[in-house]
Amino acid sequence: MDCKYFGECGACRLYESGYEGQLNEKVALNKERFAPFFQGEIAVFKSPDAHYRSRSEFKIWHEGDALFYAMNHREHKGVVLIEACPQVNEYIAALMPKLLAAVKKADIGFKLFGADFLSSSSGEIVVSLLYHRKIDAEWEEKAKIIAEDLGIYIIGRARKQKVVIGQDYITESLNIQNTMYRFDYIENSFTQPNPRVNEQMISWAMDAFGKRDGDLLELYCGAGNFTIPFASLFAKVLATEISKSSIHAAKRNMALNNVENIEFVRMSVEEFVQALDGQRVFKRMSHIDMKQYNLEAIFVDPPRSGMDEYSCKFAARYETIVYISCNPETLYRDLETLLETHEIVSMALFDQFPYTHHVEMGVKLCKKSL
């Protein structure tokens, strides 16, 4: 990736040996980290080496009447003023200078402090403009003109305000094992930032399960990123998530893909275990007959904090566990518990965040033979 801000901008870490060098460093680090648990080959899934991010956030910096994009400086508390970013996809990259010029021309840059971009792989874009002032009717009229001229959607955000010009989501298409899946990504909600690596990650997880006769339980399902492709492998899928907005998005995405064999339930892991074991009755599960499920596999994709010991002990009930982790450190901790009952069959590393120390890891575990 060719970037003149390398070494200054805090968004990336400088690797003198380029993309392959940074990837080799990550692979070596995680092979060593997980060597006590797994001595086999870790499958490695690469990212494009530039224009790989479909969402990104920038500060807006004011110098007199001029406006600039800015990122935190790597070495000190200041910022780096930037004109372009080779991380973002080609559509965001092309839009960035045009948007800033349009904001300046329309005179809606007053107290603007941030711009967040969300793009599909086909170029549908939502831009959120963040303000330290109230958004008024004049702003809305000017933003409508900019949105029409640039062919984008705009959201104005200020304290207790969200003003939507057009719509607040884009529709992404992912090619998973030669099948196209469509997902509505809603502004300000979590989405995987690297669509090409996301496709590889979902595909690897599907291969890890293979076609099954039984049913799947998924914890931390989010908006259905994995759940919906998994539905093609299992008779039924039961998926839980604690976020109400994520559950709404998941149901919306299920309908978008004409999938009918998933039940999404808004529950924490602890609540679900209590319901499953008959300790508590939840109205949210009153329509679900657990006797109709043959749950023999479980999928987990927890937040950076990982699973807790309670959740690990619960997951250990199932014959097959597939675990996607965005934090190798908490994955290591959780494996110490899971390996009391299971053994690792395969591992994978997904370079979701090039030029940073972050990676996503995948692990398939099966119950130990007695």
Side-chain angles (χ1 to χ4, degrees):
M1 183 170 69
D2 183 19
C3 180
K4 65 180 181 180
Y5 309 108
F6 251 152
E8 295 181 81
C9 176
C12 291
R13 178 179 167 193
L14 179 62
Y15 290 87
E16 293 182 358
S17 50
Y19 178 79
E20 291 298 332
Q22 65 94 39
L23 180 59
N24 291 338
E25 186 175 313
K26 291 177 180 179
V27 172
L29 172 64
N30 284 287
K31 278 185 175 180
E32 182 179 355
R33 172 182 278 136
F34 292 105
F37 302 147
F38 184 68
Q39 289 75 49
E41 281 298 309
I42 297 177
V44 177
F45 295 88
K46 297 181 179 182
S47 169
D49 65 358
H51 299 302
Y52 45 81
R53 286 192 68 97
S54 60
R55 60 179 173 88
S56 199
E57 302 172 1
F58 297 95
K59 299 177 188 292
I60 299 296
W61 201 256
H62 298 250
E63 287 196 353
D65 291 334
L67 296 176
F68 300 90
Y69 295 107
M71 297 294 288
N72 289 333
H73 198 285
R74 176 167 297 283
E75 301 295 336
H76 53 72
K77 292 183 179 179
V79 298
V80 180
L81 303 183
I82 65 171
E83 297 173 352
C85 176
Q87 281 191 4
V88 299
N89 74 15
E90 291 89 343
Y91 300 106
I92 298 175
L95 175 64
M96 286 175 65
K98 296 176 185 177
L99 178 69
L100 217 53
V103 167
K104 180 77 167 59
K105 183 179 179 181
D107 195 24
I108 59 169
F110 179 61
K111 291 199 174 181
L112 174 66
F113 70 90
D116 298 349
F117 296 82
L118 174 63
S119 171
S120 72
S121 298
S122 61
E124 190 178 28
I125 297 179
V126 173
V127 180
S128 300
L129 298 177
L130 315 179
Y131 287 89
H132 284 311
R133 67 171 174 91
K134 185 177 180 181
I135 295 172
D136 55 21
E138 183 182 0
W139 177 93
E140 190 168 352
E141 288 306 310
K142 290 179 177 180
K144 284 179 181 177
I145 295 171
I146 294 173
E148 184 175 352
D149 287 347
L150 297 180
I152 61 174
Y153 308 118
I154 295 177
I155 297 172
R157 281 192 173 273
R159 189 168 182 232
K160 296 183 179 180
Q161 279 188 294
K162 177 184 176 182
V163 179
V164 179
I165 309 298
Q167 62 188 48
D168 66 349
Y169 67 93
I170 55 95
T171 302
E172 177 65 295
S173 295
L174 299 178
N175 186 346
I176 314 295
Q177 298 187 346
N178 297 317
T179 298
M180 298 303 296
Y181 293 90
R182 299 171 68 218
F183 295 86
D184 283 350
Y185 290 166
I186 301 169
E187 177 264 357
N188 208 36
S189 65
F190 175 78
T191 58
Q192 298 286 350
N194 190 324
R196 303 292 77 82
V197 174
N198 186 32
E199 289 171 336
Q200 296 178 82
M201 195 161 59
I202 298 169
S203 182
W204 177 87
M206 292 177 72
D207 286 340
F209 281 125
K211 186 73 175 176
R212 299 277 179 139
D213 293 328
D215 304 322
L216 174 70
L217 173 64
E218 179 180 352
L219 308 180
Y220 320 99
C221 70
N225 180 64
F226 289 95
T227 327
I228 290 164
F230 284 165
S232 65
L233 302 177
F234 294 87
K236 296 187 292 294
V237 179
L238 180 61
T240 72
E241 165 63 49
I242 198 167
S243 164
K244 183 183 290 188
S245 61
S246 292
I247 287 290
H248 285 318
K251 290 179 177 179
R252 176 168 161 174
N253 288 328
M254 182 173 70
L256 195 61
N257 289 279
N258 298 312
V259 173
E260 299 180 346
N261 61 332
I262 304 172
E263 283 283 358
F264 289 105
V265 185
R266 186 174 64 83
M267 279 187 160
S268 68
V269 176
E270 185 174 1
E271 287 175 331
F272 180 76
V273 176
Q274 291 170 344
L276 190 64
D277 292 345
Q279 297 172 2
R280 287 179 64 186
V281 176
F282 292 88
K283 189 176 181 180
R284 282 166 280 168
M285 286 194 66
S286 61
H287 63 294
I288 298 174
D289 182 3
M290 289 305 302
K291 294 177 183 177
Q292 297 299 313
Y293 283 86
N294 174 27
L295 298 172
E296 47 88 29
I298 186 169
F299 176 77
V300 296
D301 179 19
R304 288 191 59 77
S305 57
M307 300 169 72
D308 53 28
E309 187 174 0
Y310 181 89
S311 302
C312 287
K313 293 290 188 184
F314 170 66
R317 298 182 184 187
Y318 297 92
E319 182 71 28
T320 304
I321 304 169
V322 175
Y323 188 145
I324 295 288
S325 168
C326 60
N327 186 347
E329 293 180 359
T330 54
L331 173 61
Y332 185 98
R333 180 203 66 204
D334 292 344
L335 285 175
E336 290 181 311
T337 301
L338 293 171
L339 291 176
E340 293 173 7
T341 53
H342 288 64
E343 58 189 357
I344 296 174
V345 176
S346 58
M347 293 192 76
L349 181 149
F350 308 96
D351 196 20
Q352 180 91 244
F353 310 99
Y355 306 102
T356 76
H357 66 278
H358 296 293
V359 295
E360 302 242 350
M361 300 293 298
V363 185
K364 177 183 178 180
L365 303 103
C366 289
K367 265 195 176 169
K368 295 176 180 176
S369 302
L370 296 178

